[in-house]
Amino acid sequence: MGAGCSSGVCPSRKSDKLKNSKIIFVVGGPGSGKGTQCEKIVERYGFTHLSSGDLLRAEVSSGSERGKQLAAIMEKGELVPLDTILNMIKEAMIAKASTSKGFLIDGYPREVRQGEEFEKKIGAPCLLLYIDAKAETMLMRLIKRGETSGRSDDTAQTIKNRLELYYKATEPVIAYYQGRGIVRKINAEGSVDEVFSQVANAIESLQ
């Protein structure tokens, strides 16, 4: 199920440690509650939660050679090369392979090509959790968060722009994996626990 190599598409894989790992893609808009759900999955099921954004930030703040290169790219407002992000995710997965029950890849892939490259380099997902909240719900949650967080990107107009970009990027990804039959759509309108009971059902159906 977690082994995506049967078709011989990943000869570049450095390590067989990931061969039978459960890989779950977690997709959800800003304010969908995706981060909270990931925390609860880690707590209950012993998965490792990996976010490409967190990995990038950690690398930059480490002051490593690669971190300096990434900082320079991001300061120019350019996109970090896909290969670099995949290598970072892969290294983080290999480091945790012996102790982790599986991997939550959070906020990734953002486009179909990223998903295809991930499968070539690392492995195939056995599930895509789509944490789906209405646009109005996400907007309200983020505005509320902005009142206390002081984050400059939590203004109503900026949030609307982010949601628009999110939908544009995500719809083809969801459609692609729906075609593979691995998408589980989670209604994220309820309480944290109500949402998590749906998430738990989806994960337990993999056992």
Side-chain angles (χ1 to χ4, degrees), residues 4 9-10 115-125 176-177 180:
V9 288
C10 36
E116 291 170 339
E117 288 300 313
F118 184 100
E119 292 185 40
K120 280 183 202 165
K121 274 202 157 195
I122 300 171
Y176 177 73
Y177 286 103
R180 303 248 297 259

Side-chain angles (χ1 to χ4, degrees), residues 20-177:
N20 297 310
S21 296
K22 279 196 181 102
I23 296 171
I24 296 177
F25 287 161
V26 186
V27 175
S32 63
K34 157 172 77 76
T36 305
Q37 293 303 318
C38 285
E39 281 168 25
K40 292 179 81 65
I41 296 168
V42 168
E43 206 177 291
R44 181 179 293 185
Y45 298 106
F47 276 56
T48 297
H49 176 209
L50 296 174
S51 145
S52 53
D54 289 349
L55 289 171
L56 283 171
R57 282 187 286 276
E59 189 74 37
V60 168
S61 61
S62 77
S64 70
E65 199 46 52
R66 181 165 67 182
K68 287 174 190 160
Q69 289 167 359
L70 292 171
I73 291 168
M74 292 192 286
E75 273 161 27
K76 287 184 207 154
E78 292 170 6
L79 291 176
V80 174
L82 179 55
D83 262 5
T84 305
I85 292 172
L86 285 178
N87 285 338
M88 289 168 69
I89 293 173
K90 185 174 179 176
E91 285 162 21
M93 288 173 77
I94 289 170
K96 297 274 191 179
S98 55
T99 54
S100 187
K101 297 282 195 305
F103 296 94
L104 299 173
I105 310 299
D106 175 2
Y108 191 95
R110 289 176 191 270
E111 53 185 59
V112 172
R113 189 175 70 86
Q114 292 180 349
E116 291 170 339
E117 288 300 313
F118 184 100
E119 292 185 40
K120 280 183 202 165
K121 274 202 157 195
I122 300 171
C126 51
L127 183 68
L128 183 147
L129 281 177
Y130 177 25
I131 313 294
D132 182 37
K134 290 180 190 147
E136 309 86 80
T137 304
M138 292 192 277
L139 182 64
M140 293 310 295
R141 286 177 184 169
L142 290 170
I143 288 171
K144 200 168 184 182
R145 188 179 77 183
E147 288 165 4
T148 53
S149 73
R151 278 179 55 163
S152 60
D153 59 348
D154 279 347
T155 64
Q157 192 48 55
T158 317
I159 292 164
K160 280 178 182 160
N161 294 346
R162 280 164 67 202
L163 288 174
E164 210 169 288
L165 285 172
Y166 160 73
Y167 283 118
K168 206 178 281 182
T170 307
E171 279 164 11
V173 173
I174 301 293
Y176 177 73
Y177 286 103

